[in-house]
Amino acid sequence: MKFLRWFAGFIFILNIPFVTANVAAADLLVTRHFTGMWDQVDQESQGISLQVIEQSDGSRVALAYWFTYGKDKKSAWYLGVGELAEDHIDFELYDSSGVGFMQTAKPGNDSVTGIGTMTISFDSCDSGLATYQTNHAEVGSGSFRIKRLTEIMNTHCSGGISDDMGDFAMYGEQQMQLSAARSGVNGSGHARYADAPGRSEFEIEVTGLPDGNYHLFVGMSDRGEFIVHDGFGELEFHSPMEIGKTLLTFDPLEMLIEIHDASGVILSSFDGMFDRDDHDQMGSDEEHDFGCDSGMGGGMGGGMGGGMGGGMTDCVDEGEVLEIRADLLNTGLISSAQGEAEWEMSSERVEFSVEIEDVPVGSYALMVGGTEVGTIMAVAMHGGVVGMLGFRDPEVFGKQHLDFDPRGQVIQVMSQDKIILQVDFPVE
């Protein structure tokens, strides 16, 4: 453990800053970025090597190797295996005894025994307090302060949920309607969740509610208070934290979302929940290549396939992007309705999306060439009503699989079997 004291001195001499954003304990989540060496601030040459790991079943646990000394002033160490719980880790503490230097491993030899518990509570990404209670005669009970010495190379601890995102995460976005939970409520709202490599966003907006204070509940837990003014209110979370937003330290996926006033639940997602998907694991996509030099223009694997023939461009040179955009024409059924359709192709993917706005909140069928391809959900957002439906080949989280070609087709948005928006989508 003299290494720890030497290393701390080395860091001081070189003035290497292991300082990250300070986050209040109530707004902190222990993630894999807490892995590293932690020095006992008030004790000589002692500390903890902490590892936050994922097990084969996908669950997260923490391992702590506590390096210290016995009464004989010889090196001693204890092992902790712990559960992560927001801003702290609860460990079962173990001791190993009766093992000699380079002793051969033999089946049945069990020298590890439980001696008590340890809890490490963090007040920032760089400091915390370890409290222990044991039945070990020399260890006993007590507490000590810890301070970060090292962190994983090329990482930054924010204390938010994005710190645990996979390295190959792909962009995904979901939106969900919040509806009145009791009679006499005229307001509504929506929730939005989006993530991408190193970034997670969660926000709620409400409209039409009486002015006053409200609380957001996610999975039955109070996640913050916000104010409704002139019938509008919002609450935004972001990881890493951004100015004007709250650090996102909880997971809203597969959770009931509710808005509470003084009388209880006023808006709810009811059975609606954000889906949990494997969108944070990109993997390989060698079967989809729309590059003209690949010999496979038009994609493979059940996607767009050869459906883009008929003389239309079905491949793109690497580095180039083809785009087609068209405004949807209002048929007069909903005078304020507007919309746009967009098609985009690169050598790696093909995308198609339709966006509508200034329509009543609700669902609208999207027709391409006389065939219904999906439903656009229009929700209240930023003082208006918008809805969007996206398709992509290869498919990614948050967008549907694109297995049709909209070019040269009639695009229609339907409300109760009546056309409100339409356009003859161009070929190029």
Side-chain angles (χ1 to χ4, degrees), residues 85-122:
E86 295 191 344
D87 63 346
H88 63 277
I89 310 173
D90 296 318
F91 293 96
E92 294 292 330
L93 206 57
Y94 299 89
D95 183 23
S96 179
S97 60
V99 180
F101 177 71
M102 297 296 287
Q103 178 177 322
T104 302
K106 293 182 179 180
N109 282 356
D110 189 1
S111 61
V112 179
T113 57
I115 62 170
T117 62
M118 172 186 283
T119 296
I120 300 180
S121 300
F122 295 91

Side-chain angles (χ1 to χ4, degrees), residues 33-109:
H33 288 330
F34 281 73
T35 296
M37 302 290 288
W38 295 77
D39 182 35
Q40 291 184 217
V41 178
D42 302 310
Q43 287 79 41
E44 177 64 37
S45 301
Q46 299 170 64
I48 289 175
S49 175
L50 178 63
Q51 298 179 19
V52 177
I53 65 172
E54 182 179 53
Q55 301 186 105
S56 58
D57 63 359
S59 61
R60 299 187 310 147
V61 297
L63 300 177
Y65 301 92
W66 180 15
F67 298 96
T68 183
Y69 298 93
K71 288 185 177 180
D72 58 4
K73 295 187 178 181
K74 292 184 179 180
S75 297
W77 65 274
Y78 303 95
L79 170 66
V81 180
E83 298 290 334
L84 287 76
E86 295 191 344
D87 63 346
H88 63 277
I89 310 173
D90 296 318
F91 293 96
E92 294 292 330
L93 206 57
Y94 299 89
D95 183 23
S96 179
S97 60
V99 180
F101 177 71
M102 297 296 287
Q103 178 177 322
T104 302
K106 293 182 179 180
N109 282 356

Side-chain angles (χ1 to χ4, degrees), residues 124-137:
S124 77
C125 284
D126 300 299
S127 60
L129 179 71
T131 304
Y132 58 93
Q133 294 181 335
T134 77
N135 57 16
H136 193 287

Side-chain angles (χ1 to χ4, degrees), residues 171-182:
Y171 177 81
E173 181 175 1
Q174 301 180 70
Q175 296 192 35
M176 185 165 52
Q177 187 75 22
L178 303 178
S179 303
R182 59 179 188 256

